[in-house]
Amino acid sequence: MRKEDILGLPSMPMAGPSYPAGPYRFVNREFLVITYETDPELIRMGLPEPLEPLERPVVHYEWIKMPDSSGFGSYTESGLVIPARFKGEDVNFVSQMYLDDDPPIAAGREIWGFPKKYAHPKLEIVKDTLTGTLEYAGQQVAMGTMAYKHGAMAGNGEATHAVLAKTQINLKLIPGADGRPEVCQLIAINLTDITVKGSWFGPGRLHLVPHVNAPVADFPVRRMIGAHHYIADLTLPYGRVVHDYIKQDDALAEAAE
């Protein structure tokens, strides 16, 4: 293969790439987001600098069902998102993600730094209850429930559009061949081409079980705030580097010489 052929590959392996080139379109993406308060000191410990905690120690626990995603197929994911502040902007730091499909795990980690691990999340309607579960290594570690469409549609979708358009921040950490960090960055992503198809607020509950390899319970529920169920089409574009820990250290070292 020539150099230009190699550089034109979308991903590894060379024979049968794990995922195609983006951007990536999602149709009928369904969300269950349960919002609660936890301990403020845990929020501070869970945010990489220079991200700053908000005044209120809030966590979003999410289940996302993706039946139609370009290049990735059909899958479900679950995890924790921590609202934070970065350079004066309110953002969402993606803390933990668990899903059941290899291509989006590889792409999520390699491109944007999403903290993805393989597990078995599920989002389904059981009788009158929207129910999310997460199983890791044969053990259930999370269960969330929401009264199904008890609340009216959330206005005209503008509030939900704003939720989806909010900047997401990931910590992208990739070791080099020598074992030392070769990439250590904060990556920002903004979803685009968002069409909200339905949105409902209502009561919800969340149960988290301690697990060493899926530590969602490290952010325990102290007070429930509410639940949000919505469905949307959207595009996941490429991200941008907003903070580079290695380059910052190199610059400080040069200034000290």
Side-chain angles (χ1 to χ4, degrees):
M1 293 184 70
R2 297 172 184 251
K3 175 182 176 181
E4 55 269 25
D5 297 324
I6 296 170
L7 294 177
L9 292 170
S11 59
M12 298 184 299
M14 184 175 66
S18 295
Y19 50 87
Y24 305 89
R25 183 68 177 166
F26 295 80
V27 178
N28 292 329
R29 201 178 200 203
E30 185 173 15
F31 297 76
L32 167 60
V33 181
I34 298 178
T35 303
Y36 66 95
E37 288 186 0
T38 191
D39 299 327
E41 63 271 18
L42 298 177
I43 295 287
R44 286 191 292 268
M45 291 174 59
L47 290 174
E49 61 177 1
L51 293 177
E52 300 174 349
L54 301 182
E55 292 75 19
R56 193 177 185 187
V58 169
V59 174
H60 301 306
Y61 194 97
E62 300 182 343
W63 277 271
I64 310 174
K65 188 175 184 178
M66 289 159 277
D68 183 352
S69 54
S70 60
F72 302 143
S74 176
Y75 65 102
T76 303
E77 67 184 24
S78 180
L80 287 164
V81 172
I82 303 174
R85 191 165 287 122
F86 179 70
K87 296 183 177 179
E89 178 187 2
D90 284 354
V91 300
N92 281 333
F93 174 67
V94 184
S95 174
Q96 300 180 41
M97 299 183 80
Y98 304 92
L99 58 156
D100 56 1
D101 189 17
D102 288 332
I105 291 176
R109 291 169 66 104
E110 292 172 7
I111 300 173
W112 304 275
F114 281 111
K116 299 189 180 223
K117 296 180 73 173
Y118 187 83
H120 295 281
K122 183 184 291 187
L123 179 61
E124 58 185 341
I125 302 164
V126 182
K127 305 297 183 182
D128 59 349
T129 308
L130 183 62
T131 304
T133 56
L134 174 62
E135 182 183 287
Y136 191 99
Q139 302 298 316
Q140 183 170 288
V141 296
M143 181 181 72
T145 55
M146 178 182 178
Y148 186 67
K149 293 186 178 180
H150 272 208
M153 289 280 288
N156 58 9
E158 288 185 3
T160 303
H161 188 284
V163 168
L164 286 165
K166 188 176 181 180
T167 299
Q168 301 177 55
I169 300 286
N170 297 330
L171 173 61
K172 182 175 181 179
L173 177 61
I174 299 178
D178 59 1
R180 293 181 297 180
E182 187 164 299
V183 175
C184 191
Q185 303 165 333
L186 292 180
I187 307 294
I189 307 107
N190 290 92
L191 303 175
T192 62
D193 303 321
I194 299 166
T195 301
V196 177
K197 294 183 170 180
S199 181
W200 302 267
F201 291 105
R205 297 291 185 272
L206 180 65
H207 177 61
L208 303 175
V209 178
H211 192 290
V212 66
N213 283 321
V216 292
D218 284 3
F219 295 90
V221 178
R222 296 306 183 209
R223 190 176 78 85
M224 286 296 309
I225 296 176
H228 190 186
H229 172 211
Y230 49 100
I231 301 170
D233 297 345
L234 54 88
T235 297
L236 173 61
Y238 291 118
R240 60 194 184 277
V241 179
V242 293
H243 187 79
D244 193 308
Y245 294 95
I246 295 173
K247 288 184 178 179
Q248 184 185 57
D249 285 348
D250 291 344
L252 291 173
E254 289 179 7
E257 289 179 356

